[in-house]
Amino acid sequence: MPEIFINGQPVAAGDNQTVMQAALANGFFIPYFCWHPNLSVHGNCRICTVEVESDGGGWLDIACNMPVTKGMRILTDSEKVRARRKQTMQFLTLNHPVDCGICDKAGECMLQDHHVAYNGSPSTSREPKVKSTKFFPLSKRIVLDNERCILCTRCVRFTREVSKTDALGVQSRGDHSLIRPSEDGAFERDEYSDNVVDLCPVGALLSRSFHYQARVWYLKPTPSVCPGCERGCNVDLWHRRPEWRLRALDPAQNNRIDRVTPRDNPAVNGPWMCNKGRDLAAVFGRARAEQAMLKGRPVDMPAAIANARQLISAARHPVALVSSWASNEELASFKSALGGVFASYVKADVAPAPGETLSDDVLIRPDKNPNRAGACALFGAEAPRYAADTDLVLVWGEGTDFGALPRGARTIFLNAWLQPENGHADVFFPISAQTERAGTYTNFEGVVSAFSPCFAKADSVADAEALFPALSTRPGSAT
Amino acid sequence: MPGRALLTGFDVTATSHLLADYRARGGYATLEKALSSMTPQQIGAEVTASGLLGHGGAAFAVGRKWGVIRLNDGQPHYLCANADEGEPGTFKDRWILEHAPHLLLESMLIAAYALQVRHAFVYIRGEFDLPYRRLQGAVDEAYAAGLLGERVLDRDFACDIIVYRGAGSYVCGEASGLITSIEGKRGYPRNRPPRLTVRGLYQKPTVINNVESLANITGIIRDGAEAFRKVGTAKSPGTQLISISGHIAKPGVYEVEFGYPFAKFIYEDCGGVLGGRALKAVIPGGISTKALTGAEIEPLKLDHASLAAAGSSIGSGGMIVIAEGTCMVRLLQVLLRFYHHESCGQCTPCREGMGWMHRIIDRIVAGEGRPDDIGLLYEISRANDGTTICGMGDAAGYATVGILDKFRDEFEYYIEHKRSRLGGVLEVATHA
Amino acid sequence: MKHLIPEFDRLRQRFPDTFASSLVLPCVRRIQEDRGYVADADIDELAAYLGVPRVQIEEVLSYYTMFRRKPIGRWHLQMCRNISCSMRGSERLLAHLERTLGIAAGETTADGRITLSTVECLGSCGTAPVLVVNETYHENMDAARIDALLKELD
């Protein structure tokens, strides 16, 4: 554990650390573009240059590739370092189009941040900027603006080291270098391709689905968990900030997920997520069930509850199919309120789609529901079993073939989504979705992750967690 | 003769590059001596004692570079002879490849033995045709004669030499770019650390030496370090192959003993400036060294210390002679166009800076220069000094600053009058 | 590329086992010698043969100036435009070639015979100006020698 000095302060660096790692771990900021904690070092941007003090006259060199040595004295903000950084920023913005006004990255762009912090001056160049391709289709999901690209190669290293598709490369050389996808379409098939959009320190790699959708400073990232599989990648769901909900806008715009980004959790997904999770807006944007019903006939919630309680108390052999998309909190509520009444089995809400990758060596897991582990911990892992005399089935969550349930059994159905089978149930309850409440999921390795609400639920929709006690017919429970 | 010769002291004939002729001159006897009576450590010590400096441009002590290799560390070691010779003005390694390829091979075998190398490479620039054929021919002869392969000279020493052809990239002459090219990729140079002698080709310890550096090994082992040190100067032992071109009467490759007077070399050995013109400038060691005026070279000797004291360098031994009447603005344009073309594009200062400098000089030459252009060229050069992944950024800066320092007035004239004071001439004399 | 595989197998033997990636440059050069350029199908086949990512071969083809993915004229004439050649007249000779052939550097004659390019230093400065015709260096060139050379090209 060599002791080094950063800006005069002693720092206990780790063995085999670089100055960059030691500095960041100890609260000293060194700016960077091409360095990334989860990728190999390339050392091409040169912005992380620091000064090494030495009795015989010091020197400047990049920190990301500089091994710590005992007693070394580093300056991260000396006059020389500042001059070097300013010059580096001058070079980086030399041919950069500086079209922030139409660039999605504005507001979260490292080039903007470092320009303001370390340069702040106009360009000293009088030459016309080098032109390049501006809307190169890297894939159906991602568009590339080569003029904005600073060739940090984070995206190339990602496909080489993380997704392991070798799908991106650098064509040509010098200031004509271009990031390009492998011509066999490997990038189109890379299930982690969208991570390069997060990685890109500038507005060169852009998500097509987010292109021109919203300015990031109007958006709020709400911590959540991707429900796409039992990995439970931690994510941020970005939606319009409450204070920026404008009446002038289409209400749908105020209440949609604008984009999904990974939230770094070393115990689950690191800083990555797969492409399926990027499209959660489509999952959560599906039509919602908002009306309680009795065999398709609209009723109010108290009437539905009363009806369901009757069915439950009259049933002699009730079976429950428990949602594996339910939160731990909802599951605990069901167990406590109704677990003693129903023979409960855990069901999949979502099955793999045709052609969907089942699993891989990176993040994707075969079970496409986020909380099977949490559900099975409470209700076991057996497949549902019906007896000849099963007379009531409570189905919780989507994905059940009602035609396969025992004939003659009555059904109580709880679902967030507007689906045809809602109208076939004897009693139907519209329930809240993940984005409307707080809760936790347990992933396949037992790691528990929490999600927070983004939106308010409709008044006519019930929280399952509160509904179960209301359905309980035990003495002392809610009526 | 510019001093004593160590490498070129034989008659070049139609067959002198062939194995039979080389053997008749005593070829491969030194390899025999090394394998039979010396240990790897002894060879390394002799090379270190000789003070041999690298001849590729950096003048790093060869013995010191070799000394980083840890013998018996259980890892494969690799040796690469750098025959990329891309530095404009340089064509002296070519002489060895065409006329003394076996000298290189024998030296490489001795080095391989000293460094415990099983597979050695000669990285030869892709454009070379005759030099490649001669070298590959020599390699084939060596295999046929049992000088390469599983049992070299029928001893318990195996060594393979592979000739690896480049494909058109100046930075593949930079040691780490060379290695990345041999790995079958774009010739991207690498940051140090790690040194290539620690992690080089496929992350294994690798020694890269210039062809001429290696060519000297055989003589050093044959005659000993002391004999080598008797030639040249104390700080620059031995000789330098200088390839001289440009406005010189007798261009070609000359072996010059270190310490030989610069002016004498130009005016006597090489016949002086074309057409008897005055000497305007000399770029002594490849375009990445700083130009010296005709007056400045008068007191200088051709060795590292003398040129360094004058603010320049022996460099790669590619000497370019510039006659009075040459437009230095147009000359710098040729150089900056070259650096721009060759930038690999990895790191910010060079990728952006080379294009920037090229565009500035093009604008000046087109009559659209601005007064602050000179300051900008200095600033960009400074911004590439010690800031880049490899030395090319620095090199472009030295070339630019060297010419601006000595010939600023020509640039000021061109900018002010929108034309060259010398008619934009580069070809001062027509080739005879 | 398939007919070159026996040759590539032999070449592979010369390298250490872990050096499959190194085969990219020599194999690409050989394919180009054979076909005149490197075709898309060659890239697929070579990537499969060597077990390297396709993108590596694409990068190599675009980075090195000597590799091409499109055919050129039967005769590739490359005039050096670097310092010593410029100082001995290569700019003048390039202009002469452009006038004589009726094309600019970078172009191919209409009959497809000759492609003219400029090239950087070839390591032949002592015999400047230098013109490369396909693989061969033609040194100490002047207008008369160029004219004579052009007559020899079919």
Side-chain angles (χ1 to χ4, degrees):
Chain A
M1 294 282 287
E3 185 187 61
I4 68 172
F5 298 89
I6 301 181
N7 298 340
Q9 292 193 48
V11 164
D15 297 323
N16 305 317
Q17 269 192 334
T18 60
V19 168
M20 171 71 88
Q21 291 168 323
L24 293 179
N26 287 278
F28 295 92
F29 183 68
I30 298 178
Y32 52 85
F33 288 110
C34 69
W35 180 80
H36 188 280
N38 298 78
L39 298 174
S40 65
V41 169
H42 192 176
N44 60 58
C45 74
R46 318 309 277 182
I47 195 75
C48 71
T49 303
V50 294
E51 185 173 355
V52 184
E53 287 187 293
S54 167
D55 294 327
W59 66 89
L60 280 80
D61 205 350
I62 54 177
C64 64
N65 192 52
M66 188 187 291
V68 296
T69 56
K70 182 163 173 257
M72 79 188 314
R73 306 197 303 275
I74 304 290
L75 299 175
T76 67
D77 204 28
S78 65
E79 282 301 314
K80 287 188 189 155
V81 170
R82 290 186 191 183
R84 179 72 62 86
R85 277 193 196 136
K86 190 174 169 112
Q87 185 63 61
T88 305
M89 290 309 302
Q90 274 279 336
F91 279 133
L92 283 170
T93 49
L94 183 77
N95 290 307
H96 194 82
V98 194
D99 50 359
C100 312
I102 54 165
C103 177
D104 286 347
K105 202 79 175 181
E108 54 181 19
C109 172
M110 289 167 74
L111 196 70
Q112 279 184 336
D113 295 344
H114 293 343
H115 171 81
V116 168
Y118 306 118
N119 182 11
S121 304
S123 177
T124 53
S125 168
R126 299 284 175 268
E127 315 311 315
K129 293 191 182 242
V130 172
K131 296 238 168 282
S132 193
T133 43
K134 282 199 81 66
F135 292 105
F136 185 86
L138 220 57
S139 72
K140 292 195 184 76
R141 302 178 66 87
I142 298 181
V143 72
L144 164 63
D145 184 321
N146 287 107
E147 290 186 349
R148 297 174 186 160
C149 174
I150 59 169
L151 287 163
C152 73
T153 71
R154 277 177 166 198
C155 56
V156 174
R157 281 176 278 147
F158 176 81
T159 65
R160 202 179 289 156
E161 297 161 19
V162 181
S163 64
K164 298 203 166 68
T165 56
D166 291 300
L168 294 177
V170 185
Q171 298 289 320
S172 194
R173 68 190 196 198
D175 58 3
H176 301 294
S177 297
L178 297 169
I179 300 292
R180 281 290 177 267
S182 171
E183 290 161 17
D184 61 358
F187 194 66
E188 195 74 69
R189 297 189 294 274
D190 186 328
E191 307 218 51
Y192 299 88
S193 65
D194 291 28
N195 288 296
V196 303
V197 175
D198 309 322
L199 279 174
C200 184
V202 301
L205 290 167
L206 300 172
S207 161
R208 285 178 185 267
S209 59
F210 187 58
H211 204 33
Y212 300 147
Q213 288 302 296
R215 278 307 186 191
V216 298
W217 51 84
Y218 293 140
L219 302 181
K220 176 177 188 244
T222 293
S224 191
V225 179
C226 175
C229 78
E230 55 181 333
R231 174 81 58 181
C233 294
N234 290 193
V235 299
D236 279 316
L237 303 179
W238 295 73
H239 54 100
R240 206 147 177 98
R241 289 184 176 276
E243 63 269 31
W244 280 109
R245 287 208 181 105
L246 305 178
R247 277 195 295 273
L249 289 174
D250 172 6
Q253 203 168 337
N254 279 322
N255 289 298
R256 69 173 182 214
I257 294 171
D258 283 293
R259 70 174 181 184
V260 184
T261 56
R263 201 154 43 84
D264 193 355
N265 185 338
V268 180
N269 54 309
W272 320 120
M273 65 183 290
C274 80
N275 288 352
K276 179 182 171 186
R278 301 280 179 176
D279 300 332
L280 286 177
V283 170
F284 288 115
R286 292 181 290 167
R288 297 294 300 279
E290 291 184 342
Q291 178 65 56
M293 297 184 288
L294 300 176
K295 271 221 160 321
R297 184 169 55 83
V299 298
D300 63 22
M301 190 64 74
I305 290 174
N307 225 283
R309 284 166 60 81
Q310 255 187 332
L311 287 178
I312 292 169
S313 60
R316 285 196 295 277
H317 296 284
V319 166
L321 304 179
V322 170
S323 169
S324 52
W325 193 341
S327 68
N328 290 324
E329 293 69 21
E330 293 175 315
L331 292 164
S333 171
F334 183 88
K335 177 102 180 173
S336 150
L338 299 170
V341 175
F342 284 86
S344 306
Y345 303 96
V346 177
K347 70 171 243 301
D349 285 29
V350 179
E356 183 178 358
T357 299
L358 282 183
S359 70
D360 65 19
D361 297 328
V362 191
L363 293 175
I364 298 175
R365 294 286 309 165
D367 190 328
K368 304 306 181 189
N369 302 275
N371 203 16
R372 183 175 290 269
C376 289
L378 292 177
F379 301 106
E382 286 173 49
R385 255 194 341 230
Y386 307 104
D389 53 358
T390 297
D391 51 0
L392 173 66
V393 181
L394 184 148
V395 180
W396 179 10
E398 60 179 320
T400 295
D401 176 8
F402 273 72
L405 296 180
R407 288 186 181 286
R410 311 292 282 276
T411 54
I412 300 173
F413 187 26
L414 293 80
N415 190 10
W417 315 107
L418 188 69
Q419 288 164 340
E421 47 268 43
N422 298 358
H424 298 313
D426 290 282
V427 185
F428 174 77
F429 290 102
I431 54 172
S432 60
Q434 174 187 329
T435 47
E436 294 158 347
R437 47 187 158 77
T440 62
Y441 297 137
T442 305
N443 85 350
F444 76 110
E445 284 174 329
V447 179
V448 178
S449 297
F451 55 88
S452 299
C454 310
F455 311 116
K457 70 175 179 64
D459 290 332
S460 62
V461 160
D463 278 322
E465 195 179 341
L467 182 58
F468 295 135
L471 296 180
S472 172
T473 51
R474 283 180 318 181
S477 59
T479 43
Chain B
M1 273 276 292
R4 287 168 287 187
L6 295 174
L7 304 176
T8 62
F10 63 93
D11 291 328
V12 174
T13 67
T15 59
S16 50
H17 60 282
L18 297 172
L19 179 57
D21 278 37
Y22 184 67
R23 275 205 142 122
R25 299 199 289 273
Y28 291 105
T30 312
L31 176 64
E32 179 75 58
K33 169 185 171 183
L35 295 181
S36 64
S37 65
M38 296 176 79
T39 64
Q41 291 86 341
Q42 285 170 327
I43 294 175
E46 201 70 25
V47 171
T48 301
S50 75
L52 174 69
L53 299 175
H55 284 70
F60 193 81
V62 175
R64 207 169 127 210
K65 184 185 281 188
W66 286 19
V68 182
I69 299 294
R70 288 217 293 259
L71 299 178
N72 305 310
D73 63 357
Q75 295 196 81
H77 305 151
Y78 298 112
L79 172 69
C80 301
N82 187 344
D84 193 62
E85 195 149 69
E87 184 71 31
T90 317
F91 50 100
K92 48 91 178 172
D93 292 328
R94 175 181 167 180
W95 192 98
I96 296 173
L97 298 172
E98 286 181 2
H99 302 301
H102 281 289
L103 176 61
L104 174 64
L105 297 184
E106 181 175 12
S107 298
M108 286 179 71
L109 281 159
I110 295 169
Y113 172 64
L115 299 168
Q116 294 177 337
V117 166
R118 175 69 184 80
H119 290 93
F121 297 83
V122 182
Y123 187 91
I124 183 170
R125 64 177 299 172
E127 298 88 343
F128 272 167
D129 179 37
L130 177 63
Y132 163 71
R133 287 187 277 116
R134 292 268 174 106
L135 176 66
Q136 186 62 57
V139 168
D140 295 340
E141 284 187 304
Y143 272 101
L147 295 159
L148 283 168
E150 288 294 328
R151 290 187 62 80
V152 173
L153 285 175
D154 206 29
R155 290 173 175 280
D156 190 19
F157 169 56
C159 184
D160 282 311
I161 292 181
I162 296 158
V163 178
Y164 199 90
R165 302 184 84 177
S169 165
Y170 168 70
V171 301
C172 289
E174 198 275 347
S176 60
L178 186 154
I179 279 183
T180 314
S181 188
I182 295 183
E183 289 182 357
K185 303 172 190 152
R186 314 160 54 88
Y188 269 179
R190 305 176 186 181
N191 280 297
R192 298 352 177 243
R195 284 175 295 182
L196 302 176
T197 38
V198 174
R199 281 206 292 283
L201 186 57
Y202 292 105
Q203 301 300 307
K204 300 291 184 274
T206 304
V207 169
I208 293 137
N209 286 135
N210 171 262
V211 161
E212 185 187 349
S213 311
L214 284 167
N216 276 286
I217 297 294
T218 297
I220 288 170
I221 299 303
R222 180 186 64 225
D223 301 329
E226 262 193 62
F228 183 77
R229 293 204 73 101
K230 288 200 168 75
V231 180
T233 71
K235 288 216 191 105
S236 302
T239 61
Q240 172 75 42
L241 291 183
I242 292 186
S243 49
I244 187 164
S245 66
H247 298 144
I248 192 77
K250 298 200 286 185
V253 179
Y254 298 80
E255 185 171 9
V256 177
E257 184 173 350
F258 278 124
Y260 194 79
F262 202 147
K264 186 165 183 221
F265 177 62
I266 300 264
Y267 292 108
E268 290 183 30
D269 298 279
C270 300
V273 183
L274 264 189
R277 282 173 176 69
L279 177 62
K280 180 167 188 173
V282 185
I283 300 177
I287 61 168
S288 308
T289 55
K290 288 191 183 168
L292 296 164
T293 64
E296 281 179 315
I297 69 155
E298 288 294 331
L300 299 180
K301 303 279 192 289
L302 288 168
D303 63 47
H304 299 86
S306 182
L307 287 181
S312 188
S313 168
I314 282 281
S316 63
M319 190 172 287
I320 300 162
V321 172
I322 299 162
E324 206 59 64
T326 306
C327 175
M328 299 307 282
V329 180
R330 287 252 290 123
L331 194 126
L332 183 59
Q333 182 188 35
V334 171
L335 303 187
L336 292 176
R337 179 177 63 196
F338 168 74
Y339 286 119
H340 183 200
H341 185 259
E342 298 298 336
S343 171
C344 77
Q346 276 189 105
C347 69
T348 305
C350 171
R351 178 182 69 243
E352 305 299 338
M354 297 303 111
W356 193 358
M357 291 211 281
H358 185 198
R359 284 187 276 281
I360 291 173
I361 195 77
D362 274 357
R363 201 167 31 74
I364 294 174
V365 168
E368 293 160 20
R370 293 192 195 92
D372 54 2
D373 282 341
I374 295 176
L376 261 182
L377 287 173
Y378 270 107
E379 202 186 296
I380 300 168
S381 298
R382 248 193 320 267
N384 268 275
D385 189 357
T387 65
T388 48
I389 293 179
C390 83
M392 202 195 89
D394 313 52
Y398 300 152
T400 303
V401 166
I403 290 173
L404 287 176
D405 277 351
K406 306 284 163 65
F407 300 101
R408 189 190 182 106
D409 56 309
E410 277 189 55
F411 289 80
E412 287 171 343
Y413 185 99
Y414 210 131
I415 290 169
E416 193 191 328
H417 295 92
K418 305 188 187 312
R419 58 181 173 80
S420 165
R421 194 171 62 203
L422 296 165
V425 167
L426 288 175
E427 188 192 359
V428 163
T430 305
H431 186 80
Chain C
M1 188 205 98
K2 297 213 167 54
H3 60 288
L4 295 173
I5 288 190
E7 198 180 319
F8 290 170
D9 283 340
R10 283 193 300 276
L11 181 61
R12 222 169 166 159
Q13 297 301 314
R14 312 206 51 222
F15 286 76
D17 290 335
T18 51
F19 278 52
S21 178
S22 296
L23 273 288
V24 170
L25 265 75
C27 289
V28 164
R29 186 178 186 130
R30 187 67 190 93
I31 290 169
Q32 182 168 296
E33 239 171 60
D34 183 64
R35 192 195 282 287
Y37 62 100
V38 180
D40 291 349
D42 294 323
I43 302 176
D44 292 319
E45 287 169 29
L46 186 61
Y49 171 73
L50 294 175
V52 301
R54 193 188 200 278
V55 77
Q56 179 181 338
I57 300 175
E58 293 170 20
E59 288 184 319
V60 159
L61 289 171
S62 75
Y63 175 85
Y64 293 98
T65 58
M66 289 180 71
F67 293 144
R68 52 185 176 265
R69 296 182 61 171
K70 289 197 168 65
I72 56 169
R74 190 156 65 244
W75 301 105
H76 191 190
L77 269 53
Q78 299 182 78
M79 191 84 225
C80 173
R81 62 177 184 179
N82 210 299
I83 182 170
S84 295
C85 283
S86 294
M87 290 165 69
R88 300 295 286 240
S90 69
E91 289 181 333
R92 179 173 45 82
L93 294 181
L94 177 65
H96 178 78
L97 273 164
E98 288 182 317
R99 268 194 316 271
T100 309
L101 295 171
I103 54 174
E107 295 177 347
T108 302
T109 54
D111 59 7
R113 278 168 59 240
I114 296 175
T115 297
L116 178 64
S117 326
T118 54
V119 71
E120 296 294 346
C121 181
L122 294 161
S124 199
C125 325
T127 50
V130 176
L131 175 71
V132 182
V133 179
N134 289 357
E135 308 262 293
T136 310
Y137 282 26
H138 292 264
E139 301 166 81
N140 297 309
M141 294 305 282
D142 57 30
R145 287 188 190 182
I146 283 182
D147 292 339
L149 188 151
L150 288 176
K151 283 204 182 63
E152 296 288 308
L153 303 178
D154 60 350

